[in-house]
Amino acid sequence: MTEVIRSAASLREKVSAWKRSGMLVGVVPTMGALHDGHLSLARAARAQSDRVIVTIFVNPMQFNNPEDLKKYPRDEAHDLALLEAEGVDVLFAPGPEEVYPEGFATKVSVAGVSGPMEGAFRPGHFDGVATVVTKLFGMTQAGRAFFGEKDWQQVQVVERLVRDLNIPIRIIPCPTIREADGLAMSSRNVRLTAEERALAPALHGAMQGAAAAIRGGAPVEAALGEARAAVLAAGFSGVEYLDLRDAETLEVATALDRPARLLAAAVLGEVRLIDNIAV
Ligand code: PAF
């Protein structure tokens, strides 16, 4: 039975009791609209912790576009049923006034890794993520937190934040879960029309093509240019970025002399899709 908790004080009581009996607590922070990607995080948390908390909070502070916030899919009853089936102990689903009570005045900002790509196209997004994640770590007092590599840049931001602020939690990145045709699972995918859904895997396909070309020795810029053109030719209306970056610092990479990642964001209809793969 998954217990639903909405107040930080009740959660603290519960977690303190767990920790007094020596239990390791794992947390999976989410914004709900759960899919198999989230459930794989819950399973990893279940396997690597004694007690598992999944948080659901659609964080207004990380949405730079009010329309996107309004349209963000929400179905707590369905999410709860999925979490029950995974044996999650607690669903922590605070309201906005619990997370940002009147007078709230703090912002956590991670320089460097927050800057490019998502940071450039969604100004303020990572300040919102860093602030809420810091709060969720404080509220849950978890010892491990599980994040999907689908949001690779977010993982780098959270790792930096935890190191910089000495937050006693271990970040466990977990592999991206994909549909059979390669599309990375995302809560936003439900907003694709049937026709767009059929086109969507072209993003991952083009990225795989570029990664193979770069590994095979093709000049990086040429391979990236071809991939951007392929995404547009497939029917996407725009490619915000499709870059090769240092996997950890996220600085632009021009050669494969250190671990590199291909990261992309592209717009299909009204939906913005992101993806990333190792090169
Ligand atoms: O990845 C997400 O769903 C969100 O950015 C997170 C980490 C739950 C913070 O709101």
Side-chain angles (χ1 to χ4, degrees):
M1 184 78 184
T2 303
E3 184 181 352
V4 180
I5 298 184
R6 301 200 189 272
S7 91
S10 310
L11 183 66
R12 179 167 288 272
E13 236 172 76
K14 170 128 255 159
V15 175
S16 298
W18 286 342
K19 290 175 89 168
R20 272 197 303 276
S21 38
M23 288 177 179
L24 174 63
V25 179
V27 66
V28 181
T30 82
M31 297 204 299
L34 303 180
H35 49 66
D36 278 351
H38 296 113
L39 300 183
S40 75
L41 300 178
R43 267 168 230 144
R46 183 75 280 164
Q48 298 179 49
S49 337
D50 301 308
R51 289 290 179 268
V52 177
I53 304 171
V54 171
T55 71
I56 295 184
F57 177 62
V58 182
N59 175 32
M61 198 175 173
Q62 71 187 73
F63 284 81
N64 58 315
N65 175 350
E67 264 314 285
D68 194 23
L69 172 62
K70 208 160 78 192
K71 288 190 185 149
Y72 201 83
R74 294 165 170 88
D75 189 348
E76 190 185 296
H78 183 243
D79 289 345
L80 178 59
L82 295 173
L83 297 178
E84 296 261 6
E86 294 301 333
V88 167
D89 298 288
V90 165
L91 164 59
F92 179 53
E97 57 304 323
E98 185 70 12
V99 179
Y100 301 120
E102 213 180 304
F104 186 85
T106 300
K107 189 163 80 182
V108 181
S109 196
V110 181
V113 284
S114 288
M117 301 183 289
E118 292 303 289
F121 283 92
R122 304 179 67 190
H125 169 67
F126 283 125
D127 289 354
V129 170
T131 304
V132 83
V133 162
T134 305
K135 290 213 55 151
L136 292 170
F137 289 170
M139 292 195 269
T140 60
Q141 304 164 73
R144 287 188 180 167
F146 299 78
F147 286 87
E149 289 183 347
K150 152 98 184 343
D151 295 296
W152 183 267
Q153 190 174 5
Q154 171 170 279
V155 174
Q156 307 317 310
V157 170
V158 174
E159 301 247 31
R160 185 76 259 166
L161 152 75
V162 161
R163 280 202 297 272
D164 287 357
L165 298 184
N166 302 90
I167 300 178
I169 194 164
R170 194 164 136 209
I171 305 303
I172 318 273
C174 302
T176 302
I177 304 297
R178 298 184 181 278
E179 305 285 357
D181 58 12
L183 176 66
M185 288 196 187
S186 161
S187 304
R188 288 187 170 83
N189 292 352
V190 296
R191 291 176 46 208
L192 295 168
T193 64
E195 197 188 330
E196 289 160 0
R197 173 62 192 81
L199 302 175
L203 177 60
H204 181 239
M207 293 171 74
Q208 280 183 308
I214 294 168
R215 274 187 220 112
V220 172
E221 250 328 302
L224 297 178
E226 263 178 45
R228 289 180 197 121
V231 173
L232 292 175
F236 282 70
S237 62
V239 178
E240 291 184 352
Y241 59 85
L242 197 159
D243 291 356
L244 185 70
R245 300 260 170 179
D246 180 289
E248 197 180 324
T249 66
L250 302 182
E251 280 159 14
V252 170
T254 49
L256 290 186
D257 48 357
R258 52 210 158 129
R261 204 94 193 163
L262 203 54
L263 302 104
V267 181
L268 184 55
E270 292 193 353
V271 185
R272 187 175 176 277
L273 298 176
I274 63 170
D275 202 348
N276 71 86
I277 55 174
V279 179

